[in-house]
Amino acid sequence: MAKRKPEEKREETRKQIARRRRDAEANRRAMIALLSVAALVVLLIAAGVIQELVIKPGQPVAVVNDTRITQRDYQRLVRYAWFRQGQVTDPEGTSLEVLDEAIDIELLREQARQRGIVVTEDEITEAIEKSFGYQRVPPTPAPTPTPDPSATVGGEPTATPFPTPTPVTLEAYQKAYADYLAQIKAAAGMSEADFRRLVEGELLREKLYEEITKDVPTTAEQVRARHILIAIRTPVPTPQPTPTGGPTPEPGATPAPTPTPTPEPRDEAQALALITEIQQKLSAGEDFAELAKQYSDDPGSKDQGGDLGWFPRDSGFVPEFEEAAFKLQPGEVSPPVLTQFGYHLIKVEERDPARPLDEFAVLQKKFEAYQQWLTEVRNAATIERRWSPESVPPTPSAARLP
């Protein structure tokens, strides 16, 4: 069988060479374009990730003077608030409350720096320990109870024991604290350092409160007074009588309550006439307390002879009443005083220019002084709010809440 001659390799023509080069160049350009598009897509994705995970969380939701409250820190506080509430019923409302609180805390931090008020790390640790019921120094044992002669066993008096609180051990505290840190990490993304900073803020608030309210007076001018109130009563609907002729109640059944009599209406002229009559009885020598028991329409003081006890100015009485009372000297009785409740006769029994205020009144004055100071601090600050509904973190599922 004869062998085939190998085909001779043909040389490319100029046209073929040009065409091949054009195809290769087109392929190269297509590949470059494809790679460019792919690179652009990657860059866009990366930019979006950076925007969402880096730039956006670092943007401020508020600027307090020169301090920025970043979205990252703010959302952590919102999630922590939801965690403490145990439910999310008003996400936007809670988030706005958290923002107000975060702004206040930054203002308080600034005020504390200006006043040289600091909170040490040991104070933070001790506050956390106490919140979990752990005390480094055990409490002083309760004193031995005094025997109660009325309680006897075998003729001998027995002592009534006082309940002794069970202290939390160091090991129990450490476990509870570690568990709590794990919970707030999972629910709010909050680290121990974040939690300690929250506690620091609360301690700064307490120290500033003490500083601002330390000079609030604990005494005030007070009077001890009685009064007789003759109320102005407008007509009210007459109560309907209980129907008769119905079935007889079964033996043992609770009878229907007797309706309370409705006081007769009394207009201003009638009230004034009655209070004037009482005033004349006082002038004739009758006792103020007995007349109060007989005539006064104030259920809170009537049975005590109209006695209102000691009270300072701004203690809740209507202005007309308070002004009249503080014009009187001990033993004096006011002329009829008209207020929104009716006509009053006021008698001042005692007066003290510097009588100690009760504990509630002192606390109220301190609270008012602190709130007034905080309002002034807020008004003097430069606060820029950049909050929007998009600032609120996604609402967690119920499974992630305690």
Side-chain angles (χ1 to χ4, degrees):
M1 184 173 181
K3 293 184 179 180
R4 296 177 63 182
K5 288 186 178 181
E7 294 185 5
E8 294 182 4
K9 188 176 181 181
R10 297 180 181 179
E11 292 186 3
E12 292 181 303
T13 64
R14 289 183 179 180
K15 183 182 289 188
Q16 291 173 329
I17 293 173
R19 182 181 298 163
R20 180 171 54 79
R21 288 178 177 175
R22 284 197 304 270
D23 292 342
E25 180 65 20
N27 290 336
R28 186 180 70 83
R29 290 181 179 179
M31 183 61 68
I32 291 174
L34 183 60
L35 292 175
S36 298
V37 170
L40 181 60
V41 170
V42 171
L43 286 174
L44 290 174
I45 293 174
V49 171
I50 293 172
Q51 173 70 20
E52 290 297 320
L53 300 182
V54 180
I55 298 177
K56 190 174 179 180
Q59 293 296 314
V61 293
V63 180
V64 184
N65 292 329
D66 295 327
T67 302
R68 294 155 50 99
I69 301 174
T70 67
Q71 180 166 295
R72 179 186 299 106
D73 293 338
Y74 165 71
Q75 290 192 347
R76 189 180 295 127
L77 293 173
V78 172
R79 288 192 292 265
Y80 181 65
W82 289 340
F83 167 77
R84 294 192 64 183
Q85 293 171 356
Q87 58 181 345
V88 182
T89 56
D90 182 10
E92 187 169 312
T94 300
S95 68
L96 288 171
E97 292 174 3
V98 169
L99 181 61
D100 290 339
E101 176 67 11
I103 290 172
D104 278 353
I105 287 294
E106 292 305 327
L107 291 173
L108 295 180
R109 289 184 187 279
E110 184 176 292
Q111 288 294 315
R113 285 193 295 270
Q114 294 175 5
R115 296 168 181 267
I117 296 175
V118 297
V119 172
T120 66
E121 289 297 318
D122 193 58
E123 287 176 320
I124 297 173
T125 300
E126 186 173 1
I128 294 173
E129 291 171 349
K130 287 182 178 179
S131 70
F132 281 87
Y134 172 69
Q135 291 181 294
R136 301 181 192 181
V137 179
T140 305
T144 302
T146 304
D148 181 4
S150 64
T152 60
V153 175
E156 296 295 328
T158 61
T160 302
F162 296 106
T164 303
T166 303
V168 175
T169 65
L170 176 60
E171 293 76 13
Y173 153 68
Q174 290 174 336
K175 182 181 185 306
Y177 182 45
D179 291 344
Y180 188 76
L181 290 178
Q183 291 175 21
I184 63 176
K185 177 68 175 177
M190 184 173 287
S191 66
E192 182 178 10
D194 298 327
F195 178 66
R196 290 179 67 87
R197 183 170 173 80
L198 278 181
V199 176
E200 179 197 34
E202 289 305 314
L203 293 177
L204 285 174
R205 191 203 305 270
E206 292 175 9
K207 290 191 174 187
L208 279 166
Y209 184 91
E210 292 299 321
E211 175 68 18
I212 300 304
T213 63
K214 66 181 181 182
D215 295 326
V216 169
T218 57
T219 63
E221 180 185 19
Q222 298 187 57
V223 296
R224 185 173 75 84
R226 298 178 185 271
H227 85 131
I228 298 172
L229 168 65
I230 302 302
I232 298 172
R233 296 194 289 256
T234 56
V236 296
T238 304
Q240 297 296 320
T242 303
T244 58
T248 304
E250 296 182 5
T254 303
T258 302
T260 303
T262 303
E264 293 184 2
R266 183 192 293 141
D267 61 22
E268 183 176 333
Q270 292 171 319
L272 180 58
L274 181 53
I275 203 81
T276 302
E277 180 184 337
I278 297 169
Q279 191 178 26
Q280 293 170 352
K281 290 177 181 289
L282 288 170
S283 299
E286 294 194 37
D287 183 66
F288 191 99
E290 291 303 319
L291 290 172
K293 291 179 181 179
Q294 182 179 354
Y295 289 102
S296 183
D297 291 320
D298 178 10
S301 66
K302 176 185 178 72
D303 293 339
Q304 289 75 43
D307 193 353
L308 299 171
W310 287 93
F311 58 89
R313 298 179 188 272
D314 301 323
S315 55
F317 292 102
V318 290
E320 305 94 329
F321 185 97
E322 184 179 285
E323 182 181 355
F326 277 89
K327 285 181 179 178
L328 300 173
Q329 295 302 318
E332 293 182 341
V333 177
S334 72
V337 178
L338 178 62
T339 72
Q340 67 195 66
F341 302 104
Y343 279 99
H344 307 256
L345 289 177
I346 307 168
K347 180 182 180 181
V348 166
E349 301 282 8
E350 297 179 80
R351 192 179 186 115
D352 190 334
R355 182 178 177 83
L357 295 164
D358 62 48
E359 183 180 1
F360 177 80
V362 173
L363 291 175
Q364 182 69 21
K365 287 186 175 294
K366 286 188 173 184
F367 177 78
E368 291 171 355
Y370 175 78
Q371 289 299 320
Q372 180 180 349
W373 170 81
L374 184 56
T375 298
E376 293 171 356
V377 170
R378 289 168 179 157
N379 292 338
T382 301
I383 301 173
E384 182 183 353
R385 296 170 182 265
R386 302 181 185 177
W387 182 93
S388 69
E390 288 73 27
S391 304
V392 182
T395 304
S397 64
R400 294 189 60 191
L401 292 172

